[in-house]
Amino acid sequence: MTTSTLAPAPRYWLMKSEPDECSIDDALAAPNATVPWTGVRNYQARNFMRDGMQVGDGVLFYHSSCPEPGIAGIARVASSTRPDPTQFDPASPYFDPKSPADAPRWLLLDVQALRKTRLISLAELRSTPLLSQMRVLQKGSRLSITPVEPEEWAVVVSKLVEQ
């Protein structure tokens, strides 16, 4: 077998969602437990979706902007990117009047929830030395999508099985 026939190794991501908009429970209740990840309005997060994320990549489903933020579930990337229709909807909070219809600036992809987990709080993540370099824990980090190193993924998953 040549290296060109090998599938790329899966990557891992942390994706933040406000539970008022889409919680892990909402995602699990959606058809095929799959939701479109709309509303990304940061170029770096958009570029992670466009250039880095592939179908099958692992996702830590993170609840943000809530009383206790943290990882609330495990998901996977379920589609490639496509234009986010909310950028063209004047009634949407994600409307972008400067985004041209013939060259949309904002994308989405589908995320399939695999399971709800116990909440791994931000405080618990911070208190885990092996996660000290995790991007979501870095001072000033506000991105809604960040890469997760394979070692960090393994530590988080191990925390879920040691319940």
Side-chain angles (χ1 to χ4, degrees):
M1 185 180 318
T2 66
T3 55
S4 63
T5 60
L6 295 176
R11 292 182 179 172
Y12 303 101
W13 307 91
L14 182 139
M15 297 179 76
K16 294 180 181 177
S17 180
E18 296 179 13
D20 292 2
E21 287 194 28
C22 183
S23 69
I24 187 69
D25 292 324
D26 296 333
L28 285 166
N32 298 317
T34 302
V35 292
W37 208 266
T38 61
V40 173
R41 295 298 182 268
N42 173 283
Y43 288 106
Q44 189 173 4
R46 182 216 49 199
N47 293 349
F48 285 144
M49 284 196 308
R50 184 190 66 200
D51 304 331
M53 299 175 92
Q54 296 189 17
V55 173
D57 284 356
V59 172
L60 298 174
F61 197 111
Y62 185 96
H63 284 172
S64 66
S65 300
C66 58
E68 189 166 20
I71 296 168
I74 302 289
R76 72 176 197 92
V77 175
S79 77
S80 56
T81 57
R82 62 186 181 276
D84 180 345
T86 64
Q87 68 193 307
F88 305 119
D89 179 0
S92 170
Y94 302 112
F95 176 60
D96 181 354
K98 295 181 180 177
S99 182
D102 60 342
R105 95 176 37 165
W106 304 115
L107 304 171
L108 66 78
L109 48 69
D110 294 324
V111 173
Q112 182 180 37
L114 299 176
R115 70 181 176 112
K116 182 176 180 173
T117 64
R118 73 172 180 86
L119 184 77
I120 301 178
S121 70
L122 186 56
E124 184 178 351
L125 292 172
R126 287 193 195 287
S127 71
T128 306
L130 292 172
L131 298 178
S132 66
Q133 297 304 306
M134 199 169 185
R135 289 208 194 177
V136 73
L137 302 178
Q138 301 309 304
K139 192 172 188 106
S141 175
R142 306 228 354 113
L143 287 177
S144 61
I145 299 171
T146 54
V148 173
E149 295 300 322
E151 300 79 14
E152 296 165 342
W153 176 271
V155 169
V156 170
V157 169
S158 73
K159 286 182 154 299
L160 295 171
V161 292
E162 67 186 33
Q163 306 183 50

